[in-house]
Amino acid sequence: GNSVTQMEGPVTLSEEAFLTINCTYTATGYPSLFWYVQYPGEGLQLLLKATKADDKGSNKGFEATYRKETTSFHLEKGSVQVSDSAVYFCALSALSGTYKYIFGTGTRLKVLA
Amino acid sequence: GAVVSQHPSWVICKSGTSVKIECRSLDFQATTMFWYRQFPKQSLMLMATSNEGSKATYEQGVEKDKFLINHASLTLSTLTVTSAHPEDSSFYICSAMGQLNTEAFFGQGTRLTVV
């Protein structure tokens, strides 16, 4: 079945440090891949997405590239800010059937000033 | 992106009572809605999928008689937690997709506390 494996947190970084959060997936066919961010006490916000192999999603300085050969969708940011502190979820959605989303366990990021 | 509104944002109820949570798509017709549950510091677990006008499809282990889902219109789905108990306390999040969408849009979540 489909699944998403995400690196465990928490991740603690200093401001302006480089961020990588690993995400790998198992899926039949060609799923869409997503990164969502959740700030304390809030719902999920779409951060970026990619719908096919080699697509790069980007938003607010975050990037992730859909790598079919390694079944990965790692999230990166060159210089994090305190305001980036949140929980990040990697997710996939099958392109057929019910479009169910499968989420990773989430990675908590804390950025220190 | 499309907007999904969830209401209420938080609710406190007494054990044994029922609570209804609403999920509305504000600017598109949601043919499919999903309900998730999130325990503290954990990921989202899909509870059920509902298509407008049809009965919801529940995930394994989710009690359909306890978590009643209604998707009577293309812009509204409701989740009713019946005879709530403290172990039902959680963060409930809905998401919605339209017929032409390739992604789901999420509500802001409802924090339920049963005392």
Side-chain angles (χ1 to χ4, degrees):
Chain A
N2 298 339
S3 67
V4 175
T5 301
Q6 193 174 336
M7 68 182 284
E8 290 191 20
V11 173
T12 303
L13 296 173
S14 298
E15 207 165 23
E16 298 183 3
F18 184 86
L19 168 72
T20 299
I21 300 178
N22 290 337
C23 171
T24 57
Y25 67 91
T26 302
T28 54
Y30 302 93
S32 292
L33 301 174
F34 306 85
W35 276 101
Y36 284 88
V37 58
Q38 185 179 35
Y39 297 99
E42 298 184 15
L44 270 67
Q45 299 176 27
L46 178 64
L47 182 60
L48 53 83
K49 67 177 181 180
T51 57
K52 61 183 187 296
D54 299 325
D55 266 3
K56 177 186 282 188
S58 62
N59 185 28
K60 299 180 181 178
F62 291 89
E63 292 183 342
T65 301
Y66 190 142
R67 302 282 188 202
K68 190 172 185 303
E69 64 276 14
T70 54
T71 62
S72 66
F73 193 54
H74 304 321
L75 181 68
E76 297 182 336
K77 185 173 186 181
S79 175
V80 293
Q81 305 299 313
V82 173
S83 57
D84 293 327
S85 298
V87 180
Y88 293 82
F89 292 95
C90 184
L92 69 80
S93 171
L95 290 179
S96 60
T98 59
Y99 288 85
K100 287 183 184 179
Y101 276 52
I102 307 296
F103 285 87
T105 51
T107 301
R108 184 173 299 276
L109 169 66
K110 185 172 182 180
V111 180
L112 305 175
Chain B
V3 179
V4 174
S5 177
Q6 205 172 322
H7 178 81
S9 298
W10 58 271
V11 57
I12 301 173
C13 71
K14 290 185 177 180
S15 225
T17 62
S18 296
V19 174
K20 181 184 285 188
I21 301 169
E22 293 186 348
C23 180
R24 293 182 184 273
S25 57
L26 298 187
D27 51 4
F28 68 101
Q29 294 185 327
T31 50
T32 305
M33 286 189 169
F34 305 88
W35 287 95
Y36 295 85
R37 182 173 181 177
Q38 185 182 31
F39 290 102
K41 298 186 179 181
Q42 294 189 28
S43 189
L44 282 74
M45 300 303 295
L46 180 65
M47 298 174 67
T49 303
S50 72
N51 293 298
E52 185 265 337
S54 304
K55 287 185 178 180
T57 301
Y58 290 80
E59 295 298 301
Q60 194 171 14
V62 178
E63 298 176 61
K64 61 182 180 181
D65 294 331
K66 180 165 187 64
F67 298 101
L68 300 178
I69 291 172
N70 184 283
H71 190 171
S73 79
L74 285 171
T75 58
L76 174 64
S77 175
T78 60
L79 166 67
T80 301
V81 183
T82 62
S83 187
H85 287 95
E87 56 265 31
D88 297 325
S89 299
S90 193
F91 195 58
Y92 293 87
I93 302 177
C94 72
S95 69
M97 289 187 70
Q99 201 165 15
L100 302 178
N101 295 149
T102 57
E103 67 180 85
F105 300 94
F106 286 79
Q108 68 270 41
T110 297
R111 183 163 302 285
L112 169 63
T113 302
V114 184
V115 297

